[in-house]
Amino acid sequence: MAAAAKVQWNTSMRAPEHMLIVVTAPVMSVIFLSIVRYNDRDDLMANAVIGTGLFGIWFVAVDVAGGVIQNERWMSTLDLVLAAPRAFALVVCGRILPVMLIGAFTLVESWLVATVGFGAQLPVRHPGIALIALIVTLLATACTATMLATFFVISRDTTIYQNALSYPFYILGGVVFPLSVLPDWIQPLGRVIFLSWSADLLRDSLSGDEVHDVVPRLGAIAGLGAIALLLGIVLIRKAADRARRTGMVSLA
């Protein structure tokens, strides 16, 4: 995983498309914050900031998860990677982890847009909780994106899955607005998405109230991420075996 992380970091530093979210995140922040300000709901400024940050984190993870598979196919090296003795899922996870820093930077950008551009007062009341929640969220994101990489292994066109796996997670994860505003019947499904726990905990860390059940909520994020990674290891192995049998490994 460390070797894969080093490869991806060097690749991302030379790939402008991986930095695209850094450019689009401030624009998204302006859109969300303008909606909140127009409706005189400055109390929801934190929602807009955190929503943009989580949007960026998830976007980068899914983009890289798909890009890893597609790039290996283009370079005709996917066969070699799948034939290596290490689990391919761990290689994918290692490739995703370093670019999480790029996604996390969008949270800083969104906060700057809100405070400087809109004059919002958004002090982080519980910085320790916010930092731990962010770190656990980044790890859970990498693990979940690894599981979703299964679709990229069996697909010739990863763009379809990248688009399909983005927006449902934004809505069910309550990244901009909490799950409580969604219909009652869909809220339990949202709790299976780790982003819903992350968004709630990060929002609470910006409030002045005491944050309750920090450890169980962090455990929910970490647990869902760990389950996703285990599923990813199993599913990618099965998908890779299927690709070998059907001759789809190196199809571009």
Side-chain angles (χ1 to χ4, degrees):
M1 291 181 69
K6 181 179 179 180
V7 168
Q8 187 59 46
W9 179 258
N10 292 332
T11 301
S12 295
M13 292 301 100
R14 294 169 173 81
E17 63 272 15
H18 290 178
M19 303 295 179
L20 181 62
I21 190 63
V22 178
V23 178
T24 59
V27 179
M28 292 176 56
S29 298
V30 171
I31 294 173
F32 290 144
L33 291 167
S34 297
I35 293 172
V36 170
R37 178 61 59 82
Y38 179 79
N39 289 278
D40 295 324
R41 292 298 304 272
D42 283 5
D43 57 308
L44 297 178
M45 285 287 188
N47 292 41
V49 170
I50 293 171
T52 302
L54 292 178
F55 182 100
I57 291 170
W58 183 247
F59 174 86
V60 170
V62 175
D63 181 62
V64 172
V68 166
I69 308 299
Q70 195 73 341
N71 289 338
E72 296 292 349
R73 276 204 172 105
W74 286 341
M75 295 186 296
S76 299
T77 54
L78 185 58
D79 308 68
L80 300 176
V81 177
L82 290 176
R86 295 299 181 217
F88 183 52
L90 297 182
V91 174
V92 174
C93 189
R95 294 282 293 268
I96 296 172
L97 279 173
V99 295
M100 290 291 92
L101 298 176
I102 300 174
F105 185 69
T106 62
L107 190 59
V108 177
E109 287 184 306
S110 182
W111 184 83
L112 289 174
V113 171
T115 54
V116 177
F118 286 78
Q121 300 296 322
L122 295 173
V124 182
R125 305 290 185 180
H126 307 279
I129 295 175
L131 180 60
I132 295 174
L134 180 59
I135 293 174
V136 176
T137 297
L138 294 176
L139 294 174
T141 303
C143 293
T144 306
T146 300
M147 178 188 68
L148 298 179
T150 304
F151 299 101
F152 306 140
V153 173
I154 62 178
S155 173
R156 300 185 185 185
D157 186 2
T158 61
T159 306
I160 297 174
Y161 287 106
Q162 285 173 311
N163 293 333
L165 294 171
S166 296
Y167 291 99
F169 275 79
Y170 300 145
I171 298 174
L172 294 176
V175 296
V176 178
F177 299 104
L179 290 179
S180 57
V181 303
L182 296 178
D184 294 337
W185 63 270
I186 203 173
Q187 291 182 25
L189 182 58
R191 282 305 175 190
V192 182
I193 308 299
F194 75 94
L195 288 173
S196 63
W197 298 92
S198 301
D200 287 344
L201 193 53
L202 287 171
R203 280 191 285 263
D204 290 348
S205 69
L206 266 66
S207 69
D209 301 329
E210 182 181 357
V211 183
H212 299 284
D213 301 323
V214 176
V215 174
R217 293 159 78 181
L218 287 173
I221 301 170
L224 290 171
I227 292 173
L229 179 59
L230 292 176
L231 286 174
I233 293 174
V234 174
L235 294 175
I236 288 182
R237 183 181 302 162
K238 291 183 177 298
D241 290 341
R242 177 179 178 274
R244 293 189 190 99
R245 290 195 306 269
T246 58
M248 295 175 58
V249 173
S250 296
L251 290 180

